[in-house]
Amino acid sequence: MSTAGTKGGKGTPATVAAANAGVAFTLHAYEVDPNAESYGKAAADALGIPYGQIFKTLLAEVDGRLTVGIVPVSSSLDLKALAAAAGGKKARMADPKDAERATGYVVGGISPLGQRRRLPAVIDASVSALATVYVSAGRRGLQIELVPADLVRLTGASTAAIARG
């Protein structure tokens, strides 16, 4: 894995955050399909990665507070489970504009790493069974591969069963 070319303000905020933390990672670029129904599944298909190994970053409001849910692209986010894992009662998906404003990324390229401000985060527990995990590197067409423990540490996330399907 490499951290080359990401220190000193180069790269995306996600790659800079990983490099500055001394985390080993590999970047994977791919051609974005603008007509894809699912950015995550399209990324997995383009890179030849199983859907269960590439995770999407979703923002929800848990009791009115923005919270990050990170689940495999093969699944959907279980809002009730996310609310419970975040210590709340009710969750709903965040408005895409609010998600972009809070994270500094565009929908389809929201990374759990290097967000504008650190939000509470929960990663689906299935991540623990993987040797490496892929998440958005902060723009459409770029994924970052790292070990799950580093993803948990860099996001300050807890893990819980928050995926369904």
Side-chain angles (χ1 to χ4, degrees), residues 97-123:
K97 285 186 169 82
D98 292 339
E100 290 178 344
R101 194 170 22 258
T103 64
Y105 296 117
V106 298
V107 170
I110 294 178
S111 178
L113 308 173
Q115 293 183 355
R116 186 170 283 151
R117 60 186 168 121
R118 182 172 259 194
L119 299 169
V122 181
I123 303 172

Side-chain angles (χ1 to χ4, degrees), residues 143-154:
Q143 293 286 312
I144 185 170
E145 178 186 8
L146 66 168
V147 298
D150 286 335
L151 177 62
V152 170
R153 183 171 55 84
L154 288 177

